[in-house]
Amino acid sequence: MKAKKKKRQDDFQKVKLKVGKKKPRADNATNTNFRTKGIHLPEQLKRDTSGPTTHRQLGINELLSQLHHYNANVKHSALLGLRELLSINPSLLEQHLSRLLSEVAAVFTDKDGNVRVAATRVLRFIAQSVPAERVAPFFPLLSAHLSCAMTHIEAGIQEDAMAVLDVFLEHYPALLAARPAVLLTNFLELISHRQNSGAAKKAQDAKSRMWTLSVNPDRAVSSQQWRLSVLLRLGRFLQAVVEERPVGESDMSALSERLFGSSGEGRIATLYLNWEELIYSKVGVRVYEHSGAKPTPHSTFKLRPEVDPGAAVTEGLDSAETVQSFAATLVPLLLEVWVEASTAHCPSNSTEGAHLLSPDAMSVMFQVLTVLQLLRKLAPQQEHQDALDAWFRKEYLGDFKQHFMKNFPYGTLDTPKPKKKADLKRSKQPAAILGLTVEPLALNITLCQVMVSLSQKQSQGRESDGDWVTPLRTFVRDTLGNTVKLSYRQLHMLLGTMWKMVLTQRSRTVTEDLLAAVYIYYKQRNLSLQTRSLLLSFYSKLYQQEQGHTHIARSKVLCRWLASLPLQLSQLGHRNPALSAQLISSIQAAAARGNKDLLNSLQMHACKLYDPQEGVVVLLPAESQQRMVQLLYFLPKMSQPLLANLSCCCTAGRISAGLAASLIRIVHLRSSLSGWTVGSQEAALQDVDYISFLFSTLIGFSSEDLDSLQEDDSTLPPSPLSPLSLYPTPLEQFTHHWDVVEEVCHCLEMLGSKSQCFDIVQNGICKYVTKLGVVPDSMAAGLLRAVSRLLDLSILPVEPVLRFLSQCCLSLLAMLVTLQQAAPADTNHKREAIWGACITALSSVPRLLRMLLQLLRVSDLNEEELPQLGQILSMLLQHTPLHNQLLANTALLQEIIQHLTRYSRGATREQWLTDLLYCYSVTVAHGSSAHRGGLRDMY
């Protein structure tokens, strides 16, 4: 025993350490001494010189290759680098677009959520920079990856796929809506699943439903919030399909602006073609064979080949059967979603407060109604739309009445605010995700529109819809009648609903009740331009339906509205030209139909509307001015104050000369002197008033303006060479008045007897014009023009008129010489008009030339006026049509020339006198041998 113990002690003997001695090295000690050598890889440290790089010196090739890395952080940093690189160098998008789209789309289904979010951000950046035509060749690949993400087994990938879908809906709706069948199936699978065969057999009913709503407890949001998210995207997608569908020939009217189911006005507009845009446009370009010699309206030019007819039914929504098949699958699911949302906060056995909804439930129900609306619009053509509505009514009207109308109208449920911050954040999460809040008014209005679309026209052989339409009609009437604040879209939907009610109910009582509510809303102040314009369009287009619907004809509300339009137009004026133009259009439509209430109101406010200073006829743009002038034709009577305003409008220059001529012609047609009547239309004005209107327009100035000219000290006083003080009108005013004078003369010539017309003009000149000392040059030239056109050879003007005309002619010729000396290029038209008026009057009016020569007294002229007189005589002598009149007054002419020669004696003969003597010798001396001796003595 002692030996064994000793041996054990030897095995485990403790080493004794001594002070000052080195500690012995352990048997298992590790040697830490090592040597190192550096490894240099210069190729890896070189910068990428093939293109731009990020701040980490990574080019686009390296970044794209890193998207295949197994590490999520590497892929996430690569996506961040791509966004940085593309924002700094946008040109890389064009060079590497194919690789960028394919690589970024491949990570839509990545397992890491941060990678998917970064990929969506890169995709949004690309979509903001690249147009649809550049992305189109690669969009099938993007659509395939989107479908994979939407149908992925992971709930997080499905939720992030909604963000990718948002990018496509925002930037590429046309490409996304090109083949909708696959995506529509994906939408169904997001909120539902197919029933298995056994369950399907048990669930077979009249509609043979094969889909049922699904619930996934693994989602970060509730089932209701998830369905709301999916339905929101489904609505936007269906809206894109409706908007981007190509428009056929039968639907061309949809291109024009039309409201409430009536086609717009036919307008011809210039079409500017951009071939790159037309490749993806929804409007086809119609071309004709044989270059238009033999037009073939049915040939349609399209830049892309049509889809195979066999595949159209399965891949698109181009047929009514496909739309109906999809609706048969979706509508039952929507009804389940509606029932689930409407009963979420209400016990099944309680009806009290069932119409009150939570914000989430209201948003879901609103999206259900929105999708139902869009399903109706998916019909390719109008006849398919009617068939689809009839199918909806047959299959689902009972379900809609049971679920939709059960608690109508709906309101908001007052929920207590959460006290804890955590609960507050949780309650705000859905709003933050969707950014959608729906008011009860919007829900109720949308429900009205959906339900009214299923109503049918009342007739003897059809079932009445009064039991479920009455609450809708009451809601619409109360909403408008109580002047509830509505947005433009809500008002548009309400008016569309009312339009459908009026045309389907066919009841005068119902029509008057609804229109009265609209009129109450219409009379509000401070309505926006868009809202006021919408209400005007509603009333105007409803009035156009008057002839085919007896319950609308002679509506008291419509008559009251029409009677108020002229006053509204006069009060609005030029403050809003667009709204004024719409008012004029409505007035014109009713005036053409002979509405008595409107015509009487128009007659009452005509003087204010056609005021030459502040009336809308002179303040609005040219197109509205033309419509205002056209309205004159429908006036029952034209009073003297109105005619005075119209005359001032023609002469003031506030409207164009062409429009003034149209106004004069319209007044001429409404007078009895024109000899032109239509039906039982009576003359709108008396003959005396019409003649006064023409003469006032011919004068071109009002009596007040002429009186102020007589007191104007700035005009030059009369002189021997200018018996009248001529007021020089501006060139633009002179040209305008000259065109108006031509139209007045044309109307006077059409009255029948020229002698009577000349007597009327002559009496007017004697009574109002001959006493004037200052005369505008445009007025003097216009009177000479009118007298020369109306005068007959058998008529001799009276002495006062002849004297005044000769003074006008001499004064104008003196002014013409002054204008020729100044010789501005812009006065050519004015000089030609004055010269033509003077020469025509001198050659056609008897004794006018003789009286003009008698006015020429050389002894009263100063040295500066002698050359002017010589130039006037030279101009007259050079004009061939005046030779006969000059030969008849040779004695007077010879006496004037002798006096000129005597008073201009000097060392040398001036050039103007030499020219005058030469013209005299050529035109007069050689024409009369009896005066050759006197001419020899003169030289």
Side-chain angles (χ1 to χ4, degrees):
M1 291 297 292
K2 292 182 179 180
K4 290 183 180 179
K5 185 176 181 182
K6 186 177 180 180
K7 186 178 180 180
R8 190 182 305 116
Q9 292 176 354
D10 294 340
D11 292 338
F12 300 97
Q13 188 175 3
K14 184 177 179 182
V15 179
K16 295 182 179 180
L17 301 178
K18 296 182 179 180
V19 180
K21 299 292 182 178
K22 186 177 181 180
K23 184 180 179 180
R25 186 176 181 181
D27 295 337
N28 60 348
T30 302
N31 186 10
T32 58
N33 298 325
F34 59 87
R35 298 173 64 185
T36 61
K37 289 185 179 182
I39 300 176
H40 299 281
L41 299 176
E43 295 298 330
Q44 291 187 2
L45 298 178
K46 287 184 178 180
R47 290 190 176 183
D48 186 5
T49 58
S50 61
T53 59
T54 63
H55 72 283
R56 297 174 56 199
Q57 309 304 324
L58 295 176
I60 190 168
N61 294 322
E62 288 82 357
L63 293 173
L64 291 176
S65 63
Q66 288 180 4
L67 293 180
H68 297 278
H69 202 273
Y70 65 90
N71 193 334
N73 294 330
V74 175
K75 289 186 283 188
H76 183 263
S77 62
L79 289 169
L80 296 179
L82 277 177
R83 187 177 180 186
E84 174 192 352
L85 189 62
L86 295 177
S87 60
I88 299 175
N89 303 278
S91 61
L92 293 176
L93 281 173
E94 295 293 332
Q95 301 173 13
H96 305 276
L97 182 60
S98 176
R99 289 188 62 195
L100 279 170
L101 292 177
S102 60
E103 298 295 345
V104 172
V107 295
F108 287 168
T109 55
D110 194 86
K111 294 181 180 180
D112 188 78
N114 294 329
V115 174
R116 296 194 300 268
V117 173
T120 305
R121 292 174 180 173
V122 174
L123 179 67
R124 183 177 296 277
F125 179 82
I126 296 175
Q128 292 172 352
S129 306
V130 182
E133 55 268 20
R134 292 282 292 116
V135 180
F138 317 107
F139 200 78
L141 179 62
L142 296 175
S143 180
H145 283 290
L146 175 62
S147 298
C148 292
M150 293 176 66
T151 57
H152 204 275
I153 193 172
E154 293 289 337
I157 296 178
Q158 292 182 3
E159 294 171 2
D160 291 334
M162 296 293 100
V164 177
L165 183 62
D166 290 338
V167 175
F168 290 154
L169 287 172
E170 181 179 356
H171 298 281
Y172 307 124
L175 299 178
L176 196 64
R179 293 175 179 263
V182 177
L183 281 178
L184 290 177
T185 305
N186 295 340
F187 277 114
L188 292 176
E189 293 178 353
L190 287 174
I191 60 173
S192 63
H193 64 274
R194 292 180 182 272
Q195 297 177 349
N196 55 31
S197 59
K201 292 180 180 179
K202 296 179 182 179
Q204 282 181 349
D205 54 7
K207 301 179 179 59
S208 301
R209 294 191 293 114
M210 299 295 295
W211 295 76
T212 183
L213 291 179
S214 60
V215 178
N216 189 350
D218 296 335
R219 297 192 183 277
V221 295
S222 65
S223 298
Q224 188 179 75
Q225 294 167 4
W226 171 246
R227 289 165 190 159
L228 174 60
S229 175
V230 175
L231 289 178
L232 179 63
R233 272 74 177 202
L234 177 59
R236 293 178 58 190
F237 175 71
L238 293 178
Q239 184 68 33
V241 174
V242 172
E243 293 178 353
E244 301 298 335
R245 176 184 291 117
V247 181
E249 289 183 10
S250 60
D251 296 334
M252 273 298 179
S253 60
L255 295 177
S256 61
E257 295 181 2
R258 59 179 192 167
L259 297 171
F260 319 115
S262 80
S263 59
E265 301 177 1
R267 296 181 181 178
I268 300 176
T270 305
L271 179 62
Y272 299 96
L273 300 181
N274 187 332
W275 297 110
E276 294 181 357
E277 295 179 358
L278 283 174
I279 293 176
Y280 308 99
S281 177
K282 60 183 178 180
V283 182
V285 181
R286 301 173 62 190
V287 297
Y288 298 95
E289 299 176 358
H290 311 294
S291 300
K294 298 178 181 179
T296 307
H298 298 288
S299 64
T300 304
F301 174 72
K302 296 188 177 180
L303 295 174
R304 283 184 175 271
E306 286 289 341
V307 181
D308 186 18
V313 177
T314 58
E315 297 182 1
L317 297 174
D318 298 334
S319 64
E321 292 78 8
T322 309
V323 176
Q324 184 173 326
S325 175
F326 175 69
T329 304
L330 182 60
V331 172
L333 295 176
L334 295 178
L335 288 175
E336 288 187 28
V337 174
W338 178 280
V339 173
E340 181 185 76
S342 61
T343 58
H345 297 276
C346 182
S348 58
N349 56 356
S350 175
T351 58
E352 184 179 359
H355 66 286
L356 300 178
L357 304 172
S358 64
D360 289 345
M362 191 169 297
S363 299
V364 172
M365 296 165 70
F366 177 77
Q367 289 305 317
V368 169
L369 296 175
T370 302
V371 173
L372 286 175
Q373 278 185 302
L374 293 170
L375 283 177
R376 293 183 53 252
K377 298 178 182 179
L378 290 177
Q381 297 179 359
Q382 182 62 35
E383 55 269 19
H384 297 157
Q385 174 79 56
D386 299 336
L388 190 61
D389 287 344
W391 177 80
F392 267 109
R393 178 183 175 88
K394 178 182 176 182
E395 297 292 334
Y396 298 106
L397 179 59
D399 294 334
F400 288 174
K401 289 193 295 184
Q402 177 184 356
H403 300 298
F404 295 169
M405 300 298 300
K406 181 179 180 180
N407 300 313
F408 178 81
Y410 295 94
T412 305
L413 179 65
D414 294 332
T415 56
K417 296 182 179 180
K419 298 180 180 179
K420 296 182 180 180
K421 295 183 179 181
D423 296 338
L424 181 62
K425 292 181 180 179
R426 190 178 299 111
S427 63
K428 288 185 178 180
Q429 183 180 3
I433 295 175
L434 297 175
L436 177 67
T437 56
V438 179
E439 298 179 355
L441 181 62
L443 176 66
N444 294 326
I445 291 175
T446 309
L447 192 148
C448 289
Q449 194 172 29
V450 171
M451 293 301 297
V452 171
S453 65
L454 302 179
S455 63
Q456 59 183 355
K457 294 182 179 181
Q458 300 299 320
S459 60
Q460 295 181 357
R462 292 184 176 180
E463 181 183 358
S464 176
D465 295 332
D467 55 339
W468 57 273
V469 173
T470 301
L472 302 174
R473 186 172 63 245
T474 303
F475 172 78
V476 172
R477 181 197 60 198
D478 294 344
T479 303
L480 291 173
N482 296 334
T483 62
V484 178
K485 186 177 181 180
L486 301 171
S487 66
Y488 174 80
R489 177 176 176 79
Q490 292 173 348
L491 180 60
H492 190 281
M493 295 172 65
L494 273 179
L495 294 179
T497 303
M498 184 176 294
W499 177 277
K500 183 74 173 178
M501 286 182 179
V502 170
L503 296 185
T504 55
Q505 295 298 302
R506 293 179 176 272
S507 170
R508 180 175 290 275
T509 304
V510 171
T511 302
E512 291 293 321
D513 195 20
L514 293 174
L515 293 183
V518 179
Y519 192 67
I520 293 174
Y521 195 89
Y522 177 82
K523 290 192 298 183
Q524 290 185 94
R525 295 183 178 182
N526 301 324
L527 290 178
S528 65
L529 168 64
Q530 202 175 19
T531 301
R532 184 76 67 182
S533 177
L534 181 63
L535 293 168
L536 282 173
S537 297
F538 172 78
Y539 270 127
S540 179
K541 293 184 181 298
L542 189 64
Y543 176 71
Q544 295 175 9
Q545 303 291 326
E546 187 180 42
Q547 293 183 348
H549 301 82
T550 56
H551 62 286
I552 303 177
R554 303 303 301 167
S555 168
K556 295 181 180 179
V557 179
L558 280 178
C559 292
R560 195 185 318 151
W561 169 73
L562 289 172
S564 66
L565 293 183
L567 177 60
Q568 295 177 33
L569 180 60
S570 63
Q571 293 175 347
L572 181 62
H574 66 289
R575 290 177 295 175
N576 198 319
L579 188 59
S580 296
Q582 197 168 1
L583 284 171
I584 294 172
S585 179
S586 302
I587 294 173
Q588 193 175 23
R593 296 185 177 213
N595 187 279
K596 293 183 179 179
D597 298 298
L598 173 82
L599 292 177
N600 293 335
S601 178
L602 186 62
Q603 177 79 40
M604 184 183 305
H605 301 93
C607 291
K608 189 174 181 179
L609 292 173
Y610 293 93
D611 187 88
Q613 300 298 329
E614 299 179 355
V616 294
V617 71
V618 297
L619 297 176
L620 292 178
E623 184 179 357
S624 299
Q625 288 180 348
Q626 183 177 4
R627 290 193 171 189
M628 286 296 299
V629 170
Q630 293 171 355
L631 278 177
L632 290 171
Y633 180 79
F634 303 104
L635 280 178
K637 295 294 180 182
M638 293 185 184
S639 60
Q640 292 182 357
L642 175 60
L643 290 174
N645 288 348
L646 295 178
S647 177
C648 293
C649 290
C650 292
T651 58
R654 302 289 293 276
I655 61 176
S656 64
L659 192 57
S662 300
L663 190 153
I664 296 171
R665 284 193 293 269
I666 290 176
V667 176
H668 173 76
L669 290 175
R670 292 306 312 276
S671 68
S672 60
L673 296 176
S674 65
W676 188 82
T677 57
V678 177
S680 59
Q681 190 177 30
E682 300 179 356
L685 65 164
Q686 299 180 3
D687 297 343
V688 177
D689 297 336
Y690 174 58
I691 297 298
S692 300
F693 166 77
L694 291 181
F695 185 77
S696 300
T697 309
L698 177 65
I699 295 299
F701 289 82
S702 63
S703 58
E704 293 80 5
D705 294 337
L706 292 176
D707 293 340
S708 62
L709 285 179
Q710 310 307 312
E711 301 175 357
D712 190 3
D713 299 333
S714 61
T715 57
L716 296 177
S719 64
L721 200 58
S722 179
L724 297 176
S725 294
L726 290 181
Y727 170 74
T729 56
L731 178 62
E732 184 178 357
Q733 182 180 356
F734 183 93
T735 305
H736 176 86
H737 181 68
W738 185 257
D739 296 337
V740 171
V741 166
E742 293 290 341
E743 186 61 34
V744 171
C745 293
H746 176 71
C747 292
L748 288 173
E749 289 175 341
M750 294 180 64
L751 294 183
S753 175
K754 276 191 174 183
S755 59
Q756 294 181 357
C757 292
F758 181 78
D759 288 340
I760 293 173
V761 174
Q762 183 174 243
N763 293 334
I765 294 174
C766 290
K767 186 175 181 180
Y768 300 105
V769 181
T770 55
K771 61 183 180 180
L772 299 177
V774 180
V775 178
D777 55 0
S778 59
M779 171 181 164
L783 290 175
L784 289 174
R785 179 63 176 163
V787 169
S788 60
R789 288 188 61 172
L790 296 176
L791 187 63
D792 196 276
L793 295 177
S794 60
I795 304 174
L796 186 64
V798 297
E799 189 71 19
V801 173
L802 200 59
R803 185 183 306 108
F804 177 77
L805 293 178
S806 63
Q807 293 175 352
C808 289
C809 192
L810 181 57
S811 301
L812 288 173
L813 290 174
M815 187 184 70
L816 189 62
V817 172
T818 305
L819 291 177
Q820 287 179 345
Q821 292 176 353
D826 55 351
T827 59
N828 290 335
H829 181 269
K830 184 175 183 178
R831 286 183 294 170
E832 292 175 0
I834 292 175
W835 172 250
C838 293
I839 291 301
T840 306
L842 291 173
S843 60
S844 60
V845 179
R847 297 178 53 201
L848 182 60
L849 180 60
R850 181 178 182 83
M851 188 163 290
L852 183 144
L853 294 176
Q854 291 175 354
L855 291 175
L856 299 177
R857 298 179 181 179
V858 183
S859 59
D860 297 337
L861 302 178
N862 53 32
E863 294 182 358
E864 296 179 355
E865 294 174 340
L866 291 177
Q868 295 180 3
L869 177 57
Q871 292 182 19
I872 292 174
L873 293 176
S874 298
M875 292 164 53
L876 297 177
L877 290 169
Q878 293 174 7
H879 195 68
T880 305
L882 290 179
H883 285 180
N884 293 332
Q885 286 86 343
L886 290 172
L887 289 175
N889 298 281
T890 305
L892 279 174
L893 185 61
Q894 183 177 359
E895 182 181 356
I896 293 171
I897 294 178
Q898 288 176 353
H899 286 299
L900 281 174
T901 307
R902 184 181 308 115
Y903 283 104
S904 62
R905 292 289 185 182
T908 58
R909 180 177 295 172
E910 297 185 13
Q911 184 62 38
W912 63 267
L913 185 56
T914 303
D915 296 340
L916 175 61
L917 295 176
Y918 174 76
C919 293
Y920 179 80
S921 64
V922 171
T923 57
V924 178
H926 292 284
S928 176
S929 59
H931 298 282
R932 287 183 182 179
L935 186 61
R936 187 180 301 111
D937 297 337
M938 186 181 305
Y939 280 102

